[in-house]
């Protein structure tokens, strides 16, 4: 056959999110690890600015390279390019049922973690499951098993606007560094992860998906100030089990997850990092109006989340006690433009600076997203 | 219609500038905030290395993503990718007369700020108007009004090589953070900007453009050492009004701007930042030879600039007193290669280190630019 | 002619390397300047993640922009985008025999430096010749002379999988900053480089290439702690001469280089940087099996390298005494996937921290590479 043009084996696409989060009540001296524009003295922020370079080469390789141009360096230089995804899928069988994903990619744990931020309704992921994984990603080797009919179904759930997770296998197993995306490994242990999920289509056409997942590893948090680490020089137990269930919004949808585990956590006195239990999750209801008075797609939603644990990726692994409510909508007047607006009642810890106090704050959240 | 290939809704282009600026007389211990290769112990520098990802999606959205790969982190790591532009144009009307630009983009203030560095003759912008805006850009929401005939004229002024500004509207109004491109907001105030400009074509075909613009905001400069801030904890008045007039080079051209305002400035003793008046501008004459003995396009020019104010984006907002002359040429042997060479007589302040002394230095400036 | 589509004058391609280097014997407290994942408490690393934007514009310009998305800032922020190559080739003659390369590009010194990491068998370059040039690259102006038949031969040696260097001219001459890729110049001296290489095809079809090269410059190393610099405030002599010879693997191949010179080096007491002699090189044997039992291309190899000198780009220019062995293979099951595995016996200095001790360590090296 004729040699292919490069633009046939590589494609480029992207998306961008611009936010503003005015405080309308409660404590003002706050910070939120998922969005730097939440807090006093803030206006606009570019939360994500992604370009994705991807394609298939031959019958054995797909690749996916996704830098984020809204990242920051440790010294605060803003809007620099840093990798999110950078991996290849090596197809062990040409029907793509069995494949190895090697590189930096999402860890197959939780449903919401795997669902793209481009598709998620709420602006940030829940803390309870998301705290497993820095930027949801890590560097390692992952095996995915996806029968051909489920390949089609996972694809349909994204392409149709039903806000699926994409294809992370019906069954997944992986081993990865465990320090988080873009961070150097700091111990000899690999983290292990496994996940099982199963989407089924009812006779009335509605799709339901449920599953279970677990992580097993050892984690060494960074420390600052005078905090000590309970003689765990090689790291703390970092173990979790989670369950998820999703009724896709056709038009009414429900989505819920919960996880339990143990991991490093700063003690109450703020002096020492110890091994502690954690648990938490969320439940979300949504309703998808595919023709909103002739002005595109409208998706009202309400979400409650709870977390009783710690944020191990922050310095000193501070405790995080979350009990948040969110209610609002996502509106897509045309597929390439999305506008999200909602009210959010925050009840959580300020993880940025000791003593990591609790705060109660009401904010509005606005996001404009471009898909291109 | 058939689904479009991705390379039809996204295009990629770029340009690159390599410089060398030998000192030929006067003070040697100098620095220039616009070009790090001006000064002792310097040779080549990549000043700009831009890739631009842009396109139209449907009838309502154009997007424009421009990282610069010659940026630096705060700790001096060189040639990293950092955003310059990242915005979408949302067309309120399908004739593109009314649009909202949301994201990080150029602030519609001044003519030279809006003219691309790819098209500007002088290697750096004038300090007087450019000091309004870090990297000419900020993050916010901008409304642009451009009648259809002016859309065509703005396009013609760039495409024809006449060094226009591009389409920033006949009328513009916007609100933005005010801390400068890629920098986190640090107060609750938004900056406001508005601009009116009008290009007209005379009967002999020559095009003339003139306009007026203003900025209104509050700015909180960063401080270092023992400098204090005159009890303005929420920021200083940051207000400017400017005028511009351009006779496009057909073949003889003239370009002039001036602005007046007030803003934060280090006092003479170097101990405290205060609110002070500022003013300054430039005038430039140029002559465009479209067929230079069969070797492309040649553009000799002379420029004088003056500024009596401060550089608010530098730590401590040091005073800057500028009185510079430049004279030389830009030569395009082929459209994809440009070579600029000129003599520059610098009379200005060293803004890099206290006591921010004045210097007088003669330099040569050379730049090679690739357009691709 | 019709205006070309942008995707005809720009192409994008890339490659990615993921590594793991388990220690199997000897000292564990080690580091290696060429691979941060060599050492204790390490697992996976993305060593290179390259995207390349390149093309021809008209008859006079080719351009080549290659950021690496696996770079780090000085403060350790990982997997950010930083330039490797960014240059244009300006063709002085339309037959491309004479050209100027201006920008950041590889310094024409050594064979292995010029050979792409995408094509090299051993995971890292030899220290003896590679220590001339930070990231093999610098910013400057280079003249290349390549007769038309040699243009074809250099292209063939890469395209055919014979692991050639690419076209860096039969004769090359250049001037460049000398501080290393992406680093600011720190003295007024330019480094000069010249190279001559000549590939010839024997009557049996086998290709042999040999050549000579030299560098002449002045280098100012960075210092830390209490180390002083022997009153060479303007920099130390930085001069080298090298020779190379390559018998391309058709199927048996041999490759060898050596260089001698002088440059800055920390003294034995670790107190002062002085001017010292250096020498070293490597020899590599390989065998290219083009049909490995129907499973792609297999390339076993063995390499020995020696260096007695210093690493001038590290702080304090520590001494480096290298005597390493490597033996293993590179396997390409399909052209887009490469897997390299080998045993490496390291005998060298830890350049990361004083007192820069010697270590002896046996490691295994694994790399998975995607070409897209």
């Amino acid at each position: 056959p004729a040699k292919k043009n490069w633009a046939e084996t590589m494609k480029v696409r992207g998306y961008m999110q611009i936010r503003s989060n005015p405080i309308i009540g409660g404590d003002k001296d706050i910070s939120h690890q998922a969005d730097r524009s939440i807090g006093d003295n803030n206006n606009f922020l570019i939360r994500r600015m992604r370009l994705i370079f991807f394609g298939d080469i031959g019958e054995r390789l797909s690749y996916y390279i996704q830098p984020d141009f809204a990242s920051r360096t440790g010294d605060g230089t803003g809007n620099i390019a840093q990798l999110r995804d950078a991996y290849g899928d090596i197809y062990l069988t040409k029907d793509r049922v069995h494949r190895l994903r090697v590189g930096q990619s999402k860890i197959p744990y939780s449903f919401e973690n795997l669902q793209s931020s481009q598709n998620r309704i709420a602006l940030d992921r829940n803390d309870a499951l998301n705290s497993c994984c820095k930027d949801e990603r890590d560097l390692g080797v992952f095996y995915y098993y996806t029968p051909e009919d489920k390949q089609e179904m996972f694809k349909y759930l994204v392409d149709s606007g039903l806000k699926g997770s994409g294809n992370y296998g019906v069954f997944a197993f992986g081993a990865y560094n465990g320090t988080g995306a873009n961070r150097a490994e700091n111990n000899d242990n690999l983290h292990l992860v496994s996940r099982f999920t199963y989407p089924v289509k009812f006779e009335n056409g509605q799709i339901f998906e449920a599953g279970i997942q677990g992580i097993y590893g050892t984690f060494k948090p960074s420390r600052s100030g005078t905090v000590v680490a309970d003689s765990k020089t090689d790291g703390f137990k970092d173990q979790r089990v989670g369950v998820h269930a999703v009724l896709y919004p056709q038009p009414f949808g429900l989505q819920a997850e919960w996880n339990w585990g143990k991991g490093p956590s700063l003690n109450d006195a703020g002096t020492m990092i110890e091994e502690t239990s954690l648990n938490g999750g969320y439940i979300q209801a949504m309703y998808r109006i595919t023709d909103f008075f002739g002005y595109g797609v409208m998706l009202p939603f309400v979400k409650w989340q709870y977390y009783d644990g710690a944020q191990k990726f922050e310095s000193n692994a501070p405790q995080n006690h979350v009990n948040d409510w969110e209610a609002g909508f996502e509106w897509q007047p045309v597929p390439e433009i999305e506008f999200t607006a909602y009210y959010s009642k925050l009840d959580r810890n300020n993880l940025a600076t000791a003593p990591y106090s609790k705060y109660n704050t009401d904010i509005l959240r606005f996001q404009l997203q471009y898909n291109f």
Side-chain angles (χ1 to χ4, degrees), chain A residues 82-144:
Chain A
Q82 187 183 46
L83 285 180
R84 288 300 170 271
D85 294 295
Y87 62 78
D89 276 349
I90 302 174
Y91 298 108
L92 304 176
T93 54
K94 292 186 183 177
D95 58 9
R96 304 191 166 196
V97 170
H98 301 276
R99 67 193 149 118
L100 284 183
R101 177 168 292 184
V102 187
Q104 181 164 296
S105 74
K106 286 194 174 173
I107 300 163
Y109 184 84
S110 145
F111 176 85
E112 202 183 54
N113 283 1
L114 301 180
Q115 184 192 42
S116 170
S117 293
Q118 190 174 13
N119 299 327
R120 193 178 57 253
I121 311 174
L123 297 199
D124 299 310
R125 293 187 173 87
N126 76 92
D127 289 73
L129 287 101
N130 194 240
S131 53
C132 73
C133 312
K134 176 76 182 162
D135 292 323
E136 303 81 61
R137 293 168 176 89
D138 214 304
L139 181 55
V141 180
F142 303 89
Y143 163 78
Y144 289 105

Side-chain angles (χ1 to χ4, degrees), chain A residues 194-213:
Chain A
S194 189
R195 181 176 189 256
F196 177 80
T197 193
Y198 206 79
V200 290
K201 193 173 187 170
F202 298 141
E203 286 200 356
N204 66 357
Q206 186 134 13
I207 302 175
F208 175 79
E209 180 175 346
I212 184 169
Q213 46 256 303

Side-chain angles (χ1 to χ4, degrees), chain A residues 184-357:
Chain A
E185 174 62 296
N186 64 5
N187 64 23
D188 284 324
N189 293 92
L190 286 175
H191 273 57
L192 303 179
V193 63
S194 189
R195 181 176 189 256
F196 177 80
T197 193
Y198 206 79
V200 290
K201 193 173 187 170
F202 298 141
E203 286 200 356
N204 66 357
Q206 186 134 13
I207 302 175
F208 175 79
E209 180 175 346
I212 184 169
Q213 46 256 303
I215 280 177
Y216 183 91
T218 298
F219 187 86
K220 216 158 104 184
S222 67
R223 282 176 286 148
S224 61
T226 59
V227 169
V228 295
D230 196 12
S231 70
K232 302 274 182 180
T233 50
D234 261 6
F236 293 84
K237 271 187 199 167
D238 184 18
Q239 303 174 358
R240 286 166 181 242
V241 172
V243 293
H244 64 266
V246 184
L247 180 73
Y248 286 96
Q250 299 167 297
F252 178 73
L254 271 178
Q255 186 180 321
E257 301 193 59
W258 207 268
N259 77 165
W260 305 262
K262 54 178 53 176
S265 170
L266 192 61
N267 64 4
D268 290 340
T271 55
M272 183 185 282
I273 302 174
E274 300 173 340
E275 195 174 290
T276 338
S277 292
L278 61 89
N279 92 100
Y282 70 95
I283 180 162
Q284 173 179 304
M286 51 202 152
Y287 193 89
R288 185 163 181 270
I289 305 163
T290 49
D291 181 2
F292 186 64
F293 303 113
Y295 292 98
V297 180
M298 170 64 78
L299 236 153
F301 81 105
V302 57
K303 183 180 183 181
W304 171 75
Q305 66 155 307
Y306 174 88
Y307 182 43
D308 182 24
Q311 181 52 269
K312 70 185 177 194
F313 292 109
E314 300 289 324
S315 188
N316 295 333
Q319 293 180 29
N320 196 12
H321 301 285
V322 180
N323 196 329
D324 287 2
W325 280 93
E326 301 167 280
F329 65 87
E330 177 195 284
W331 176 43
Q332 278 191 290
V334 288
E336 53 271 23
I337 302 175
E338 284 180 30
F339 180 69
T340 305
Y342 63 82
Y343 165 82
S344 181
K345 192 168 180 45
L346 302 172
D347 174 0
R348 53 172 56 232
N349 287 71
N350 185 335
L351 305 179
T353 38
Y356 313 106
S357 322

Side-chain angles (χ1 to χ4, degrees), chain A residues 7 20 158 239:
Chain A
S20 182
V158 172
Q239 303 174 358

Side-chain angles (χ1 to χ4, degrees), chain A residues 45-64:
Chain A
L45 175 81
I46 301 177
R47 179 60 183 84
R48 288 181 176 87
M49 171 55 249
R50 302 285 173 85
L51 288 176
I52 302 155
F53 302 80
F54 66 107
D56 297 317
I57 310 271
E59 293 177 304
R60 294 292 186 179
L61 181 68
S62 296
Y63 63 94
Y64 194 92

